[in-house]
Amino acid sequence: MIGVTENLALISDLLHKSAIEAGRDPADVRLLAVSKKQPLVKIRDAAAAGQRHFGENFVQEGVDKIEALADLNLTWHFIGHLQSNKTRVVAEYFDWVHTIDKIKTARRLSGQRPARLPPLNVCLQVNVDDEDSKAGVAPAALPELAAACAELPNLRLRGLMCLPAIRTDIDEQRAPFAALRHLAEQLRSDGIDTDTLSMGMSADYRAAILEGATIVRIGTALFGARN
Ligand SMILES: *Cc1c(COP(=O)(O)O)cnc(C)c1O
């Protein structure tokens, strides 16, 4: 069986190649290792091979891992759906939250962020495909949410995130990622500058990088199937 260290080298190489293909600096594409439902030993292996950023979807599982791996000084991203009654622990333990789609959640996170910590980095999740079943702010409501979040003292608005419907054709995969990039460009022209596009997973990272992803979130291709 191929281990995490080998997978990490392979994926880093693929991300690098996609960035070059896109005419971009490979240093501008960060791998977020999605470690949900993966054992601690695999996270330690990835960290030993140089991986610093990890993503978790479930609050309690994430907090348990952050505590168990505190010696490694990793950077933790919350990428799951966040219920408003769970914001306090997320504000206390995580470095990033990618899935904000309501001002209420953002206000709670800002209010609950401990003063000893730097501002919490946040991305706004956008429902780019306008799917009823999906979380995320509607594109039309994004400017208002972004403006409100940018005012919150203990949050740092870093950018946008999306989780599009699954598509297999690369050109079809690119469309929602291009839409997210355009939304970020619109925010910029409204005076809200961001530096992050969190988009692309194991199956569509190449399309995402071609459209400007700065964080790609990869789980199974790195760690293998989840438990
Ligand atoms: C699970 C998950 C991923 C990783 O998915 P893989 O297909 O395992 O690469 C990325 N982003 C989000 C939001 C996820 O929930």
Side-chain angles (χ1 to χ4, degrees):
M1 201 185 89
I2 297 188
V4 172
T5 309
E6 292 84 351
N7 282 344
L8 185 62
L10 266 163
I11 291 165
S12 301
D13 191 47
L14 290 171
L15 299 186
H16 191 280
K17 287 202 174 94
S18 298
I20 299 288
E21 181 188 355
R24 303 180 52 208
D25 182 348
D28 292 340
V29 180
R30 170 186 288 163
L31 171 62
L32 177 59
V34 176
S35 47
K36 64 173 175 228
K37 310 272 182 198
Q38 300 288 355
L40 294 175
V41 60
K42 288 191 179 179
I43 303 176
R44 285 199 179 272
D45 284 350
Q51 178 64 27
R52 307 307 303 164
H53 291 261
F54 292 84
E56 288 286 332
N57 287 61
F58 306 102
V59 175
Q60 194 53 50
E61 179 187 341
V63 166
D64 290 346
K65 284 175 175 165
I66 293 169
E67 288 192 325
L69 300 168
D71 56 303
L72 298 178
N73 277 313
L74 301 172
T75 301
W76 291 94
H77 298 238
F78 187 78
I79 63 169
H81 176 65
L82 182 54
Q83 292 169 289
S84 59
N85 63 341
K86 300 244 173 99
T87 50
R88 181 173 297 279
V89 258
V90 170
E92 288 172 355
Y93 279 85
F94 282 84
D95 305 292
W96 285 70
V97 175
H98 289 227
T99 47
I100 292 186
D101 61 1
K102 289 187 186 66
I103 187 60
K104 181 182 170 202
T105 316
R107 286 206 186 99
R108 289 177 69 98
L109 287 168
S110 181
Q112 293 165 343
R113 183 70 169 169
R116 66 187 154 79
L117 297 177
L120 183 64
N121 297 292
V122 300
C123 293
L124 306 179
Q125 183 175 357
V126 183
N127 188 354
V128 276
D129 286 321
D130 205 12
E131 294 173 279
D132 288 344
S133 62
K134 278 259 171 83
V137 64
L142 174 66
E144 193 185 342
L145 176 63
C149 285
E151 298 296 312
L152 293 170
N154 301 321
L155 300 189
R156 183 168 166 214
L157 178 59
R158 298 297 297 266
L160 304 180
M161 177 271 206
C162 70
L163 192 56
I166 291 168
R167 299 165 170 89
T168 46
D169 177 78
I170 178 117
D171 292 320
E172 288 176 19
Q173 289 177 345
R174 287 179 72 158
F177 298 139
L180 198 72
R181 176 166 51 78
H182 287 135
L183 289 168
E185 286 161 5
Q186 273 168 26
L187 288 182
R188 186 156 306 135
S189 63
D190 294 344
I192 299 178
D193 259 322
T194 58
D195 63 10
T196 300
L197 288 173
S198 167
M199 56 190 199
M201 319 202 297
S202 293
D204 56 9
Y205 69 86
R206 182 165 158 257
I209 291 170
L210 289 170
E211 294 298 345
T214 64
I215 297 181
V216 292
R217 310 178 308 263
I218 295 194
T220 44
L222 175 59
F223 293 114
R226 288 181 272 273
N227 296 327

